[in-house]
Amino acid sequence: GQEIRGKSVLVRAEQGIGDVFQFARYLGELRRRGARVLFQPLDGMHAIAHRFDGVDEVVRTGRELADVDFVSNLLSLPLAFGTDLATIPRGRDPYFEPDAEKVARWGQRVARGPEDRRLTVGLVWAGRPAHSRDRYRSRGLHQLAPVLNVPGVRFVGLQKGTAAVHAEAMPEHVDWENLGPELDDLDDAAAV
């Protein structure tokens, strides 16, 4: 409820990568309310964080900063804004722009003809195995079989790490392209 127009707000990412993408829409909302937004992303997200709507400056963990007026964790912003289902920020849609050069490069791989109106769905089914709650958030690809059997959908595998091996057992009838092993970083995944 405090006035943030003309103030600096340091926002820290404190959860997982998916949470950062889900809640980054609030960074633009801070800027639209007049704040200067400093964003401290998770390690490995610094390059991509510059392209979130509303970010004035990306800061690294441990970097000494001049005084900031407010500090918030990213996932605390919905509460600070009094968010309910009707007030989830839409802002710029999309609120993230992937790297244009990578979009052009990956676009050649995933391009469809104008007559192809199938929905394309990117899939990641497992998180980081070392995460303390990984058993609650990761699945085997076989558990997505009901989804993979939906007709008229084209699937693109984006899975990295040890769980990527599950894609080798993809049934023949599934319209599937596995790009996960070829992705170098989050910028590549976002571009796909």
Side-chain angles (χ1 to χ4, degrees), residues 98-111 177 179 181-192:
D99 179 83
E101 288 180 25
K102 290 190 178 208
V103 168
R105 185 181 61 160
W106 285 106
Q108 295 172 9
R109 287 287 304 278
V110 297
E177 183 169 8
L179 298 179
E182 299 177 48
L183 304 176
D184 289 331
D185 54 27
L186 282 173
D187 268 336
D188 284 320
V192 170

Side-chain angles (χ1 to χ4, degrees), residues 11-13 16-32 37-42 44-59 74 91-99 186-187 190:
V11 180
R12 300 181 302 204
I17 292 169
D19 296 309
V20 172
F21 280 99
Q22 176 65 21
F23 289 86
R25 67 186 73 220
Y26 286 91
L27 299 171
E29 188 63 20
L30 281 171
R31 166 96 69 69
R32 282 184 284 286
V37 180
L38 293 82
F39 182 52
Q40 185 178 57
L42 300 172
M45 293 189 79
H46 291 86
I48 210 166
H50 286 280
R51 291 191 306 280
F52 285 126
D53 179 40
V55 173
D56 292 299
E57 183 179 346
V58 175
V59 299
L74 182 61
R92 193 178 78 187
D93 191 15
Y95 52 87
F96 167 77
E97 293 290 332
D99 179 83
L186 282 173
D187 268 336

